[in-house]
Amino acid sequence: NDTDTWTVNIGTPPQTVYAQIDTGSFELWVNPDCSNVASSDRRFCQAIGSYNPRSSSSAATTDESAMLRYGIGSANVSYFKDTIALSGAPAMKQVQFGVASASVDEFSGILGIGAGEGVNTDYPNFIDALAAQGVTKTKAFSLALGSKAEEEGVIIFGGVDTAKFQGKLATLPIVPAKESPDGVARYWVRMNSIALSPPQGKATTFSQTDMTVFLDSGSTLTLLPEQVVEEIATGLGSSGMDSTGYYAINCNLASQKGTIDFAFDGVTISVPYSEVIRQVSSSPPQCYLGMMGSTEFALLGDTFLRSAYAVFDLTGNSIHLAQYANCGTKVLTITPDSALQGLSSSCGGGS
C-alpha cells in the first residue's frame, strides 16, 4: 500500500493501531470502517488494528462528535481522551482523539499533525500534547518518507536527523492562512518554479509555476494547476490524459536519470523520474505520472516528499527543507534555541 503509517499505542493496557501520517490535516482518529473501502485496500485496512475504549481503564468520553472530511473520504467520530504512547517515549495522558463510528473511503485511521488548538481545532491536538506534556521541547517534527526502493521512512517528533539530507536546510516561512489559497492554516510555502531536467539536453522551466503550495504527506499524488501538469506530462512524452484523469507515461523512463526540479528560496528539490512515475500492476505494466490537475490549490504529496527532507516547525512558524539522502542516523533534539536555518548534513563529513 502507498500509505505511510505510524504505530500508536492507546489506552491502559496499550492497544496498538496504525494511523496514516498526514501533514495536511489536524486530528488523530482511529477505527476505519473496512467495509467502505476499495476491495484492493480491504486486507490492509483489516490489518491495522482497532481501539476499544471499553478495554481501557484510562479511557474517558468527551460526549462530543464530528464529521471529518478529506480530499478523498470522510469519518464520523466520537471524541475520547486516553493515554497515548509512542515507541521509546513517555506516555501522554488524556490526549483527545476520535474513534470512528463510520467512515467512507478511508483504509486507515489518520494522524493529522497540522496546527491544532486555537488554529484548526478547539482542543490540544497530537502535536500540542507532545509539547505540553514534555515529550518534545517544541512543536516541531521532521519527516523523511524515504524512496520507493527503501520502502520505509522516518518521522522524528521533536528532533532532526542530519543523516537524512544533503547540504544545508533552507528555511521557508509558513504562509499565513489569510494569505493562502484556501484560507486554512496548513504547511503552506512559496515555490519559485518547476523545471524538467532530462537525462540529456537542456532543462525546461515551466511558466506560471511560481505559486503557494502546501506539503501534504496524506496525499499520494502531487496536485498542480491543470496546465502545468499537462506541460510536464507532455515533456515526458505522454500522449495525453486518460478517462480517469491520469497521464500515461512510458515505463522505461523510470530507469532514466532525469529529474523534475522544484525550486524554493535557498533549495531545489530534484525528484527523480523513478519517484514521480507510478507503475500499476498489470500485464503488460502500465505507468502514470504521479501528478494530477487541480483547480482549487496546489499541494506537494508523496511523489514530491519522497525526495525531500522536511522539518515542520510550528513553534518557529517555518519549514526547513533539503534534498533527501540517507547516510545513516544522527538525531539532534529540537529546542526553542535550535539553529535549524542552515543546519548542515552529516553526510559526506559535514556536521
PDB file of all heavy atoms in Angstrom, residues 10 26-29 60-66 77-84 92-99 111-112 121-127 129 133:
ATOM      1  N   ILE A  10      -2.578   3.053  22.320  1.00  0.00           N
ATOM      2  CA  ILE A  10      -3.605   3.828  23.006  1.00  0.00           C
ATOM      3  C   ILE A  10      -4.196   3.011  24.142  1.00  0.00           C
ATOM      4  O   ILE A  10      -4.539   1.838  23.976  1.00  0.00           O
ATOM      5  CB  ILE A  10      -4.736   4.225  22.028  1.00  0.00           C
ATOM      6  CG1 ILE A  10      -4.179   4.934  20.785  1.00  0.00           C
ATOM      7  CG2 ILE A  10      -5.747   5.133  22.717  1.00  0.00           C
ATOM      8  CD1 ILE A  10      -5.231   5.266  19.744  1.00  0.00           C
ATOM      9  N   PHE A  26      -5.429  17.753  10.828  1.00  0.00           N
ATOM     10  CA  PHE A  26      -5.119  18.293  12.147  1.00  0.00           C
ATOM     11  C   PHE A  26      -5.561  17.411  13.317  1.00  0.00           C
ATOM     12  O   PHE A  26      -5.305  17.765  14.464  1.00  0.00           O
ATOM     13  CB  PHE A  26      -5.790  19.667  12.288  1.00  0.00           C
ATOM     14  CG  PHE A  26      -5.840  20.426  10.998  1.00  0.00           C
ATOM     15  CD1 PHE A  26      -7.030  20.605  10.312  1.00  0.00           C
ATOM     16  CD2 PHE A  26      -4.671  20.923  10.432  1.00  0.00           C
ATOM     17  CE1 PHE A  26      -7.060  21.269   9.100  1.00  0.00           C
ATOM     18  CE2 PHE A  26      -4.683  21.587   9.223  1.00  0.00           C
ATOM     19  CZ  PHE A  26      -5.884  21.767   8.545  1.00  0.00           C
ATOM     20  N   GLU A  27      -6.212  16.274  13.048  1.00  0.00           N
ATOM     21  CA  GLU A  27      -6.758  15.470  14.131  1.00  0.00           C
ATOM     22  C   GLU A  27      -6.359  14.002  13.987  1.00  0.00           C
ATOM     23  O   GLU A  27      -6.188  13.494  12.882  1.00  0.00           O
ATOM     24  CB  GLU A  27      -8.285  15.582  14.163  1.00  0.00           C
ATOM     25  CG  GLU A  27      -8.780  17.019  14.308  1.00  0.00           C
ATOM     26  CD  GLU A  27     -10.251  17.099  14.644  1.00  0.00           C
ATOM     27  OE1 GLU A  27     -10.659  16.565  15.688  1.00  0.00           O
ATOM     28  OE2 GLU A  27     -11.004  17.706  13.849  1.00  0.00           O
ATOM     29  N   LEU A  28      -6.227  13.345  15.150  1.00  0.00           N
ATOM     30  CA  LEU A  28      -5.994  11.908  15.196  1.00  0.00           C
ATOM     31  C   LEU A  28      -7.327  11.196  15.356  1.00  0.00           C
ATOM     32  O   LEU A  28      -8.128  11.559  16.218  1.00  0.00           O
ATOM     33  CB  LEU A  28      -5.081  11.560  16.375  1.00  0.00           C
ATOM     34  CG  LEU A  28      -4.971  10.072  16.769  1.00  0.00           C
ATOM     35  CD1 LEU A  28      -4.368   9.248  15.640  1.00  0.00           C
ATOM     36  CD2 LEU A  28      -4.169   9.918  18.054  1.00  0.00           C
ATOM     37  N   TRP A  29      -7.557  10.190  14.505  1.00  0.00           N
ATOM     38  CA  TRP A  29      -8.714   9.317  14.714  1.00  0.00           C
ATOM     39  C   TRP A  29      -8.348   7.896  14.291  1.00  0.00           C
ATOM     40  O   TRP A  29      -7.420   7.689  13.505  1.00  0.00           O
ATOM     41  CB  TRP A  29      -9.962   9.823  13.971  1.00  0.00           C
ATOM     42  CG  TRP A  29      -9.895   9.805  12.472  1.00  0.00           C
ATOM     43  CD1 TRP A  29      -9.464  10.796  11.662  1.00  0.00           C
ATOM     44  CD2 TRP A  29     -10.289   8.724  11.601  1.00  0.00           C
ATOM     45  NE1 TRP A  29      -9.543  10.426  10.341  1.00  0.00           N
ATOM     46  CE2 TRP A  29     -10.059   9.156  10.276  1.00  0.00           C
ATOM     47  CE3 TRP A  29     -10.811   7.454  11.812  1.00  0.00           C
ATOM     48  CZ2 TRP A  29     -10.332   8.344   9.166  1.00  0.00           C
ATOM     49  CZ3 TRP A  29     -11.080   6.651  10.710  1.00  0.00           C
ATOM     50  CH2 TRP A  29     -10.839   7.098   9.410  1.00  0.00           C
ATOM     51  N   ALA A  60     -11.812   7.983  28.620  1.00  0.00           N
ATOM     52  CA  ALA A  60     -12.904   8.848  29.048  1.00  0.00           C
ATOM     53  C   ALA A  60     -13.545   9.464  27.818  1.00  0.00           C
ATOM     54  O   ALA A  60     -12.848   9.967  26.925  1.00  0.00           O
ATOM     55  CB  ALA A  60     -12.399   9.941  29.977  1.00  0.00           C
ATOM     56  N   THR A  61     -14.879   9.427  27.760  1.00  0.00           N
ATOM     57  CA  THR A  61     -15.562  10.044  26.637  1.00  0.00           C
ATOM     58  C   THR A  61     -15.722  11.539  26.878  1.00  0.00           C
ATOM     59  O   THR A  61     -15.809  11.991  28.033  1.00  0.00           O
ATOM     60  CB  THR A  61     -16.952   9.423  26.412  1.00  0.00           C
ATOM     61  OG1 THR A  61     -17.578  10.065  25.277  1.00  0.00           O
ATOM     62  CG2 THR A  61     -17.838   9.575  27.629  1.00  0.00           C
ATOM     63  N   THR A  62     -15.743  12.316  25.808  1.00  0.00           N
ATOM     64  CA  THR A  62     -15.987  13.758  25.918  1.00  0.00           C
ATOM     65  C   THR A  62     -17.435  14.103  25.603  1.00  0.00           C
ATOM     66  O   THR A  62     -17.833  15.259  25.743  1.00  0.00           O
ATOM     67  CB  THR A  62     -15.089  14.536  24.933  1.00  0.00           C
ATOM     68  OG1 THR A  62     -15.505  14.253  23.591  1.00  0.00           O
ATOM     69  CG2 THR A  62     -13.624  14.161  25.112  1.00  0.00           C
ATOM     70  N   ASP A  63     -18.202  13.109  25.140  1.00  0.00           N
ATOM     71  CA  ASP A  63     -19.594  13.317  24.714  1.00  0.00           C
ATOM     72  C   ASP A  63     -19.694  14.299  23.553  1.00  0.00           C
ATOM     73  O   ASP A  63     -20.713  14.969  23.371  1.00  0.00           O
ATOM     74  CB  ASP A  63     -20.469  13.807  25.882  1.00  0.00           C
ATOM     75  CG  ASP A  63     -20.617  12.750  26.972  1.00  0.00           C
ATOM     76  OD1 ASP A  63     -20.752  11.558  26.611  1.00  0.00           O
ATOM     77  OD2 ASP A  63     -20.579  13.106  28.160  1.00  0.00           O
ATOM     78  N   GLU A  64     -18.626  14.395  22.765  1.00  0.00           N
ATOM     79  CA  GLU A  64     -18.624  15.246  21.579  1.00  0.00           C
ATOM     80  C   GLU A  64     -18.343  14.400  20.350  1.00  0.00           C
ATOM     81  O   GLU A  64     -17.711  13.335  20.441  1.00  0.00           O
ATOM     82  CB  GLU A  64     -17.569  16.354  21.709  1.00  0.00           C
ATOM     83  CG  GLU A  64     -17.830  17.316  22.850  1.00  0.00           C
ATOM     84  CD  GLU A  64     -16.736  18.365  22.968  1.00  0.00           C
ATOM     85  OE1 GLU A  64     -15.645  18.149  22.397  1.00  0.00           O
ATOM     86  OE2 GLU A  64     -16.969  19.389  23.626  1.00  0.00           O
ATOM     87  N   SER A  65     -18.806  14.855  19.200  1.00  0.00           N
ATOM     88  CA  SER A  65     -18.606  14.122  17.954  1.00  0.00           C
ATOM     89  C   SER A  65     -18.432  15.106  16.808  1.00  0.00           C
ATOM     90  O   SER A  65     -18.677  16.312  16.959  1.00  0.00           O
ATOM     91  CB  SER A  65     -19.793  13.192  17.673  1.00  0.00           C
ATOM     92  OG  SER A  65     -20.990  13.941  17.560  1.00  0.00           O
ATOM     93  N   ALA A  66     -17.995  14.591  15.661  1.00  0.00           N
ATOM     94  CA  ALA A  66     -17.776  15.452  14.497  1.00  0.00           C
ATOM     95  C   ALA A  66     -17.743  14.609  13.234  1.00  0.00           C
ATOM     96  O   ALA A  66     -17.529  13.395  13.277  1.00  0.00           O
ATOM     97  CB  ALA A  66     -16.469  16.233  14.636  1.00  0.00           C
ATOM     98  N   VAL A  77     -16.781  10.651  13.835  1.00  0.00           N
ATOM     99  CA  VAL A  77     -16.034  10.244  15.020  1.00  0.00           C
ATOM    100  C   VAL A  77     -16.697  10.748  16.292  1.00  0.00           C
ATOM    101  O   VAL A  77     -17.342  11.806  16.304  1.00  0.00           O
ATOM    102  CB  VAL A  77     -14.573  10.745  14.974  1.00  0.00           C
ATOM    103  CG1 VAL A  77     -13.862  10.244  13.727  1.00  0.00           C
ATOM    104  CG2 VAL A  77     -14.491  12.263  15.064  1.00  0.00           C
ATOM    105  N   SER A  78     -16.529   9.970  17.356  1.00  0.00           N
ATOM    106  CA  SER A  78     -16.823  10.407  18.716  1.00  0.00           C
ATOM    107  C   SER A  78     -15.487  10.629  19.413  1.00  0.00           C
ATOM    108  O   SER A  78     -14.548   9.838  19.243  1.00  0.00           O
ATOM    109  CB  SER A  78     -17.629   9.342  19.460  1.00  0.00           C
ATOM    110  OG  SER A  78     -18.884   9.141  18.837  1.00  0.00           O
ATOM    111  N   TYR A  79     -15.409  11.707  20.191  1.00  0.00           N
ATOM    112  CA  TYR A  79     -14.133  12.055  20.803  1.00  0.00           C
ATOM    113  C   TYR A  79     -13.971  11.406  22.177  1.00  0.00           C
ATOM    114  O   TYR A  79     -14.886  11.430  23.012  1.00  0.00           O
ATOM    115  CB  TYR A  79     -14.003  13.572  20.931  1.00  0.00           C
ATOM    116  CG  TYR A  79     -13.790  14.266  19.607  1.00  0.00           C
ATOM    117  CD1 TYR A  79     -14.793  15.034  19.030  1.00  0.00           C
ATOM    118  CD2 TYR A  79     -12.579  14.150  18.931  1.00  0.00           C
ATOM    119  CE1 TYR A  79     -14.599  15.675  17.820  1.00  0.00           C
ATOM    120  CE2 TYR A  79     -12.369  14.790  17.715  1.00  0.00           C
ATOM    121  CZ  TYR A  79     -13.391  15.549  17.173  1.00  0.00           C
ATOM    122  OH  TYR A  79     -13.191  16.172  15.960  1.00  0.00           O
ATOM    123  N   PHE A  80     -12.785  10.847  22.375  1.00  0.00           N
ATOM    124  CA  PHE A  80     -12.385  10.272  23.654  1.00  0.00           C
ATOM    125  C   PHE A  80     -11.073  10.905  24.081  1.00  0.00           C
ATOM    126  O   PHE A  80     -10.366  11.526  23.275  1.00  0.00           O
ATOM    127  CB  PHE A  80     -12.205   8.753  23.540  1.00  0.00           C
ATOM    128  CG  PHE A  80     -13.493   7.985  23.437  1.00  0.00           C
ATOM    129  CD1 PHE A  80     -14.184   7.903  22.240  1.00  0.00           C
ATOM    130  CD2 PHE A  80     -14.016   7.338  24.553  1.00  0.00           C
ATOM    131  CE1 PHE A  80     -15.378   7.197  22.144  1.00  0.00           C
ATOM    132  CE2 PHE A  80     -15.203   6.631  24.476  1.00  0.00           C
ATOM    133  CZ  PHE A  80     -15.884   6.555  23.269  1.00  0.00           C
ATOM    134  N   LYS A  81     -10.750  10.709  25.368  1.00  0.00           N
ATOM    135  CA  LYS A  81      -9.422  11.041  25.877  1.00  0.00           C
ATOM    136  C   LYS A  81      -8.839   9.781  26.496  1.00  0.00           C
ATOM    137  O   LYS A  81      -9.540   9.048  27.192  1.00  0.00           O
ATOM    138  CB  LYS A  81      -9.486  12.158  26.914  1.00  0.00           C
ATOM    139  CG  LYS A  81      -9.893  13.512  26.346  1.00  0.00           C
ATOM    140  CD  LYS A  81      -9.865  14.596  27.430  1.00  0.00           C
ATOM    141  CE  LYS A  81     -10.245  15.948  26.849  1.00  0.00           C
ATOM    142  NZ  LYS A  81     -10.198  17.031  27.875  1.00  0.00           N
ATOM    143  N   ASP A  82      -7.566   9.539  26.222  1.00  0.00           N
ATOM    144  CA  ASP A  82      -6.930   8.347  26.768  1.00  0.00           C
ATOM    145  C   ASP A  82      -5.421   8.534  26.738  1.00  0.00           C
ATOM    146  O   ASP A  82      -4.894   9.495  26.160  1.00  0.00           O
ATOM    147  CB  ASP A  82      -7.336   7.102  25.970  1.00  0.00           C
ATOM    148  CG  ASP A  82      -7.281   5.819  26.806  1.00  0.00           C
ATOM    149  OD1 ASP A  82      -6.604   5.825  27.852  1.00  0.00           O
ATOM    150  OD2 ASP A  82      -7.906   4.825  26.397  1.00  0.00           O
ATOM    151  N   THR A  83      -4.738   7.590  27.344  1.00  0.00           N
ATOM    152  CA  THR A  83      -3.271   7.567  27.337  1.00  0.00           C
ATOM    153  C   THR A  83      -2.786   7.157  25.950  1.00  0.00           C
ATOM    154  O   THR A  83      -3.305   6.213  25.358  1.00  0.00           O
ATOM    155  CB  THR A  83      -2.754   6.577  28.386  1.00  0.00           C
ATOM    156  OG1 THR A  83      -3.172   7.019  29.674  1.00  0.00           O
ATOM    157  CG2 THR A  83      -1.244   6.467  28.341  1.00  0.00           C
ATOM    158  N   ILE A  84      -1.795   7.870  25.428  1.00  0.00           N
ATOM    159  CA  ILE A  84      -1.192   7.541  24.127  1.00  0.00           C
ATOM    160  C   ILE A  84       0.320   7.496  24.298  1.00  0.00           C
ATOM    161  O   ILE A  84       0.914   8.403  24.891  1.00  0.00           O
ATOM    162  CB  ILE A  84      -1.578   8.553  23.040  1.00  0.00           C
ATOM    163  CG1 ILE A  84      -3.082   8.481  22.760  1.00  0.00           C
ATOM    164  CG2 ILE A  84      -0.779   8.302  21.760  1.00  0.00           C
ATOM    165  CD1 ILE A  84      -3.548   9.406  21.646  1.00  0.00           C
ATOM    166  N   MET A  92       1.668   9.841  27.109  1.00  0.00           N
ATOM    167  CA  MET A  92       0.937  11.086  27.331  1.00  0.00           C
ATOM    168  C   MET A  92      -0.445  10.735  27.878  1.00  0.00           C
ATOM    169  O   MET A  92      -1.074   9.776  27.436  1.00  0.00           O
ATOM    170  CB  MET A  92       0.804  11.865  26.021  1.00  0.00           C
ATOM    171  CG  MET A  92       2.116  12.293  25.416  1.00  0.00           C
ATOM    172  SD  MET A  92       1.886  13.299  23.925  1.00  0.00           S
ATOM    173  CE  MET A  92       1.239  12.075  22.765  1.00  0.00           C
ATOM    174  N   LYS A  93      -0.920  11.532  28.814  1.00  0.00           N
ATOM    175  CA  LYS A  93      -2.186  11.239  29.472  1.00  0.00           C
ATOM    176  C   LYS A  93      -3.301  12.133  28.938  1.00  0.00           C
ATOM    177  O   LYS A  93      -3.087  13.305  28.635  1.00  0.00           O
ATOM    178  CB  LYS A  93      -2.055  11.412  30.984  1.00  0.00           C
ATOM    179  CG  LYS A  93      -1.028  10.466  31.612  1.00  0.00           C
ATOM    180  CD  LYS A  93      -0.988  10.617  33.111  1.00  0.00           C
ATOM    181  CE  LYS A  93       0.077   9.715  33.743  1.00  0.00           C
ATOM    182  NZ  LYS A  93      -0.169   8.283  33.455  1.00  0.00           N
ATOM    183  N   GLN A  94      -4.478  11.536  28.838  1.00  0.00           N
ATOM    184  CA  GLN A  94      -5.701  12.259  28.487  1.00  0.00           C
ATOM    185  C   GLN A  94      -5.546  13.078  27.203  1.00  0.00           C
ATOM    186  O   GLN A  94      -5.883  14.259  27.139  1.00  0.00           O
ATOM    187  CB  GLN A  94      -6.133  13.162  29.647  1.00  0.00           C
ATOM    188  CG  GLN A  94      -6.573  12.383  30.879  1.00  0.00           C
ATOM    189  CD  GLN A  94      -7.823  11.531  30.609  1.00  0.00           C
ATOM    190  OE1 GLN A  94      -8.916  12.045  30.435  1.00  0.00           O
ATOM    191  NE2 GLN A  94      -7.651  10.209  30.540  1.00  0.00           N
ATOM    192  N   VAL A  95      -5.052  12.428  26.155  1.00  0.00           N
ATOM    193  CA  VAL A  95      -4.946  13.041  24.834  1.00  0.00           C
ATOM    194  C   VAL A  95      -6.264  12.822  24.092  1.00  0.00           C
ATOM    195  O   VAL A  95      -6.794  11.712  24.058  1.00  0.00           O
ATOM    196  CB  VAL A  95      -3.785  12.428  24.041  1.00  0.00           C
ATOM    197  CG1 VAL A  95      -3.703  13.062  22.646  1.00  0.00           C
ATOM    198  CG2 VAL A  95      -2.470  12.606  24.790  1.00  0.00           C
ATOM    199  N   GLN A  96      -6.794  13.877  23.502  1.00  0.00           N
ATOM    200  CA  GLN A  96      -8.071  13.760  22.791  1.00  0.00           C
ATOM    201  C   GLN A  96      -7.866  13.275  21.366  1.00  0.00           C
ATOM    202  O   GLN A  96      -6.929  13.708  20.678  1.00  0.00           O
ATOM    203  CB  GLN A  96      -8.805  15.103  22.777  1.00  0.00           C
ATOM    204  CG  GLN A  96     -10.185  15.026  22.127  1.00  0.00           C
ATOM    205  CD  GLN A  96     -11.041  16.237  22.415  1.00  0.00           C
ATOM    206  OE1 GLN A  96     -10.987  16.795  23.509  1.00  0.00           O
ATOM    207  NE2 GLN A  96     -11.850  16.645  21.449  1.00  0.00           N
ATOM    208  N   PHE A  97      -8.760  12.387  20.909  1.00  0.00           N
ATOM    209  CA  PHE A  97      -8.708  11.844  19.558  1.00  0.00           C
ATOM    210  C   PHE A  97     -10.099  11.319  19.218  1.00  0.00           C
ATOM    211  O   PHE A  97     -10.985  11.233  20.077  1.00  0.00           O
ATOM    212  CB  PHE A  97      -7.663  10.733  19.441  1.00  0.00           C
ATOM    213  CG  PHE A  97      -7.928   9.554  20.345  1.00  0.00           C
ATOM    214  CD1 PHE A  97      -8.549   8.411  19.858  1.00  0.00           C
ATOM    215  CD2 PHE A  97      -7.572   9.592  21.692  1.00  0.00           C
ATOM    216  CE1 PHE A  97      -8.811   7.336  20.695  1.00  0.00           C
ATOM    217  CE2 PHE A  97      -7.826   8.525  22.525  1.00  0.00           C
ATOM    218  CZ  PHE A  97      -8.450   7.383  22.033  1.00  0.00           C
ATOM    219  N   GLY A  98     -10.289  10.966  17.955  1.00  0.00           N
ATOM    220  CA  GLY A  98     -11.581  10.489  17.507  1.00  0.00           C
ATOM    221  C   GLY A  98     -11.608   8.980  17.325  1.00  0.00           C
ATOM    222  O   GLY A  98     -10.618   8.374  16.911  1.00  0.00           O
ATOM    223  N   VAL A  99     -12.744   8.379  17.633  1.00  0.00           N
ATOM    224  CA  VAL A  99     -12.986   6.967  17.362  1.00  0.00           C
ATOM    225  C   VAL A  99     -14.139   6.901  16.372  1.00  0.00           C
ATOM    226  O   VAL A  99     -15.234   7.396  16.652  1.00  0.00           O
ATOM    227  CB  VAL A  99     -13.336   6.196  18.656  1.00  0.00           C
ATOM    228  CG1 VAL A  99     -13.653   4.735  18.323  1.00  0.00           C
ATOM    229  CG2 VAL A  99     -12.185   6.284  19.649  1.00  0.00           C
ATOM    230  N   LEU A 111      -3.418  10.228  11.470  1.00  0.00           N
ATOM    231  CA  LEU A 111      -2.693  11.011  12.464  1.00  0.00           C
ATOM    232  C   LEU A 111      -2.408  12.376  11.850  1.00  0.00           C
ATOM    233  O   LEU A 111      -1.398  12.582  11.176  1.00  0.00           O
ATOM    234  CB  LEU A 111      -1.392  10.301  12.856  1.00  0.00           C
ATOM    235  CG  LEU A 111      -0.470  11.023  13.839  1.00  0.00           C
ATOM    236  CD1 LEU A 111      -1.201  11.422  15.107  1.00  0.00           C
ATOM    237  CD2 LEU A 111       0.742  10.160  14.170  1.00  0.00           C
ATOM    238  N   GLY A 112      -3.361  13.293  12.035  1.00  0.00           N
ATOM    239  CA  GLY A 112      -3.213  14.640  11.495  1.00  0.00           C
ATOM    240  C   GLY A 112      -2.261  15.451  12.355  1.00  0.00           C
ATOM    241  O   GLY A 112      -2.476  15.599  13.566  1.00  0.00           O
ATOM    242  N   THR A 121      -8.237  23.535  15.571  1.00  0.00           N
ATOM    243  CA  THR A 121      -9.057  22.751  16.489  1.00  0.00           C
ATOM    244  C   THR A 121      -9.343  23.570  17.750  1.00  0.00           C
ATOM    245  O   THR A 121      -8.627  24.535  18.045  1.00  0.00           O
ATOM    246  CB  THR A 121      -8.360  21.440  16.896  1.00  0.00           C
ATOM    247  OG1 THR A 121      -7.180  21.749  17.651  1.00  0.00           O
ATOM    248  CG2 THR A 121      -7.988  20.603  15.682  1.00  0.00           C
ATOM    249  N   ASP A 122     -10.382  23.151  18.482  1.00  0.00           N
ATOM    250  CA  ASP A 122     -10.699  23.834  19.739  1.00  0.00           C
ATOM    251  C   ASP A 122     -10.195  23.046  20.941  1.00  0.00           C
ATOM    252  O   ASP A 122     -10.621  23.287  22.077  1.00  0.00           O
ATOM    253  CB  ASP A 122     -12.201  24.111  19.848  1.00  0.00           C
ATOM    254  CG  ASP A 122     -13.045  22.844  19.782  1.00  0.00           C
ATOM    255  OD1 ASP A 122     -12.453  21.740  19.742  1.00  0.00           O
ATOM    256  OD2 ASP A 122     -14.282  22.954  19.769  1.00  0.00           O
ATOM    257  N   TYR A 123      -9.310  22.094  20.709  1.00  0.00           N
ATOM    258  CA  TYR A 123      -8.693  21.315  21.777  1.00  0.00           C
ATOM    259  C   TYR A 123      -7.236  21.046  21.397  1.00  0.00           C
ATOM    260  O   TYR A 123      -6.866  21.146  20.222  1.00  0.00           O
ATOM    261  CB  TYR A 123      -9.448  19.989  21.988  1.00  0.00           C
ATOM    262  CG  TYR A 123      -9.328  19.020  20.818  1.00  0.00           C
ATOM    263  CD1 TYR A 123      -8.283  18.096  20.758  1.00  0.00           C
ATOM    264  CD2 TYR A 123     -10.244  19.037  19.767  1.00  0.00           C
ATOM    265  CE1 TYR A 123      -8.150  17.217  19.700  1.00  0.00           C
ATOM    266  CE2 TYR A 123     -10.122  18.164  18.704  1.00  0.00           C
ATOM    267  CZ  TYR A 123      -9.081  17.252  18.672  1.00  0.00           C
ATOM    268  OH  TYR A 123      -8.952  16.390  17.606  1.00  0.00           O
ATOM    269  N   PRO A 124      -6.378  20.703  22.372  1.00  0.00           N
ATOM    270  CA  PRO A 124      -4.983  20.396  22.033  1.00  0.00           C
ATOM    271  C   PRO A 124      -4.908  19.116  21.195  1.00  0.00           C
ATOM    272  O   PRO A 124      -5.366  18.060  21.639  1.00  0.00           O
ATOM    273  CB  PRO A 124      -4.319  20.194  23.404  1.00  0.00           C
ATOM    274  CG  PRO A 124      -5.227  20.860  24.382  1.00  0.00           C
ATOM    275  CD  PRO A 124      -6.616  20.699  23.828  1.00  0.00           C
ATOM    276  N   ASN A 125      -4.352  19.226  19.997  1.00  0.00           N
ATOM    277  CA  ASN A 125      -4.233  18.029  19.148  1.00  0.00           C
ATOM    278  C   ASN A 125      -2.939  17.280  19.508  1.00  0.00           C
ATOM    279  O   ASN A 125      -2.275  17.576  20.497  1.00  0.00           O
ATOM    280  CB  ASN A 125      -4.320  18.385  17.670  1.00  0.00           C
ATOM    281  CG  ASN A 125      -3.088  19.094  17.123  1.00  0.00           C
ATOM    282  OD1 ASN A 125      -2.173  19.467  17.864  1.00  0.00           O
ATOM    283  ND2 ASN A 125      -3.064  19.285  15.817  1.00  0.00           N
ATOM    284  N   PHE A 126      -2.591  16.309  18.692  1.00  0.00           N
ATOM    285  CA  PHE A 126      -1.450  15.442  18.993  1.00  0.00           C
ATOM    286  C   PHE A 126      -0.152  16.239  19.123  1.00  0.00           C
ATOM    287  O   PHE A 126       0.625  16.032  20.064  1.00  0.00           O
ATOM    288  CB  PHE A 126      -1.335  14.382  17.894  1.00  0.00           C
ATOM    289  CG  PHE A 126      -0.299  13.328  18.154  1.00  0.00           C
ATOM    290  CD1 PHE A 126      -0.572  12.251  18.979  1.00  0.00           C
ATOM    291  CD2 PHE A 126       0.949  13.399  17.562  1.00  0.00           C
ATOM    292  CE1 PHE A 126       0.380  11.271  19.228  1.00  0.00           C
ATOM    293  CE2 PHE A 126       1.902  12.427  17.791  1.00  0.00           C
ATOM    294  CZ  PHE A 126       1.615  11.359  18.632  1.00  0.00           C
ATOM    295  N   ILE A 127       0.101  17.140  18.190  1.00  0.00           N
ATOM    296  CA  ILE A 127       1.323  17.953  18.226  1.00  0.00           C
ATOM    297  C   ILE A 127       1.342  18.841  19.458  1.00  0.00           C
ATOM    298  O   ILE A 127       2.377  19.002  20.127  1.00  0.00           O
ATOM    299  CB  ILE A 127       1.441  18.794  16.937  1.00  0.00           C
ATOM    300  CG1 ILE A 127       1.697  17.890  15.725  1.00  0.00           C
ATOM    301  CG2 ILE A 127       2.553  19.834  17.062  1.00  0.00           C
ATOM    302  CD1 ILE A 127       3.023  17.163  15.761  1.00  0.00           C
ATOM    303  N   ALA A 129      -0.158  18.214  22.330  1.00  0.00           N
ATOM    304  CA  ALA A 129       0.017  17.366  23.510  1.00  0.00           C
ATOM    305  C   ALA A 129       1.477  16.956  23.695  1.00  0.00           C
ATOM    306  O   ALA A 129       1.972  16.905  24.828  1.00  0.00           O
ATOM    307  CB  ALA A 129      -0.875  16.132  23.401  1.00  0.00           C
ATOM    308  N   GLN A 133       3.043  18.141  27.250  1.00  0.00           N
ATOM    309  CA  GLN A 133       3.363  17.117  28.238  1.00  0.00           C
ATOM    310  C   GLN A 133       4.862  16.783  28.282  1.00  0.00           C
ATOM    311  O   GLN A 133       5.274  15.805  28.909  1.00  0.00           O
ATOM    312  CB  GLN A 133       2.523  15.868  27.987  1.00  0.00           C
ATOM    313  CG  GLN A 133       1.025  16.142  28.102  1.00  0.00           C
ATOM    314  CD  GLN A 133       0.188  14.889  28.243  1.00  0.00           C
ATOM    315  OE1 GLN A 133       0.631  13.884  28.792  1.00  0.00           O
ATOM    316  NE2 GLN A 133      -1.048  14.951  27.744  1.00  0.00           N
TER     317      GLN A 133
END
